[in-house]
Amino acid sequence: MRILIAEDDPAIVSFLVKGLKAEGYSTAVASDGLEASHLLSSNLEVFDLVLLDLGLPRQSGLDVLSRLRQRDAALPVIVLTARAEVADKVRGLELGANDYVTKPFSFAELLARIRATVRAASQPTTNELVVEDLRLDLFTKVAWRGERRIDLAPREWALLELFMRHPNHVLSRTRILNEVWEYGFDPGNNIVDVYVSYLRKKINFEGATPLILTVRGAGYRLVAS
Ligand code: CA
């Protein structure tokens, strides 16, 4: 694993290079912002993580980060920042830094942040809700039951997503109204029952186990084993 250290303080650079090497990481150093941006545009693919000082000469760390994020959204970046730079720290996170470490920091703390950041970056982002053989792809907004694709209207989607985020919970009509319709419908209105019946028709095709049960006097429940 190769880490780019973008830092202009030679004492910090030497401390980081030695420590990271001892932990088995290989490193490259950029001692100003332009050099960091140049390395990240010409050799982006060789780096697995960037340690980025915000106070860099020639180009600020925030500029380096925003340029990097225009080209690569995924390369993990840990910002190294002084205590006085709180606003910059916030800006850094907004620009897409994965984490930050405040100077002065211990090597053990930095190492823990590096490991956590790399671990988080290597996890596939969960974009699916799965309950029994129901599957919602939250990115593409496509629903499946087993191998069958289910086309849902936006309210039906919101209703099914609510059930799938709370499997086995009894959801009252009032709660469903508040979360799916978001404004004060008259609780006497039977719109929830109507939409639950639409949803059931779509997900309960022939031979499939009914998954949304009516709980008398209480609401509805999505059954998960
Ligand atoms: Ca600096």
Side-chain angles (χ1 to χ4, degrees), residues 7-9 53-57 85 103:
E7 169 64 70
D8 60 317
D9 181 330
D53 177 30
L54 291 186
L56 288 174
E85 296 169 327
K103 296 176 187 174

Side-chain angles (χ1 to χ4, degrees), residues 131-134 145-146 199-200 202-213 221-225:
V131 174
E132 300 294 311
D133 57 354
L134 278 173
R145 181 155 193 196
L199 190 55
R200 279 176 166 156
K202 291 195 174 176
I203 67 172
N204 291 342
F205 43 83
E206 206 179 327
T209 317
L211 291 177
I212 300 174
L213 301 188
R221 183 165 76 95
L222 177 68
V223 189
S225 49

Side-chain angles (χ1 to χ4, degrees), residues 106-178:
S106 73
F107 189 75
E109 180 193 358
L110 178 69
L111 194 59
R113 298 295 183 99
I114 289 173
R115 287 182 175 147
T117 300
V118 169
R119 195 163 51 236
S122 64
Q123 304 281 324
T125 44
T126 52
N127 58 356
E128 272 195 352
L129 285 176
V130 180
V131 174
E132 300 294 311
D133 57 354
L134 278 173
R135 191 156 55 85
L136 291 189
D137 186 321
L138 301 171
F139 282 175
T140 60
K141 295 272 177 186
V142 176
W144 302 84
R145 181 155 193 196
E147 296 300 306
R148 188 182 299 208
R149 183 186 164 128
I150 305 164
D151 291 312
L152 298 172
R155 292 282 184 215
E156 295 165 348
W157 174 279
L159 182 59
L160 184 56
E161 182 177 345
L162 178 65
F163 277 121
M164 291 180 68
R165 287 194 186 277
H166 306 280
N168 286 326
H169 288 223
V170 177
L171 303 181
S172 70
R173 286 174 178 77
T174 308
R175 177 166 179 193
I176 295 172
L177 269 177
N178 288 339

Side-chain angles (χ1 to χ4, degrees), residues 16-25 107:
L16 290 174
V17 169
K18 273 186 208 146
L20 291 170
K21 197 174 163 195
E23 292 296 326
Y25 297 105
F107 189 75

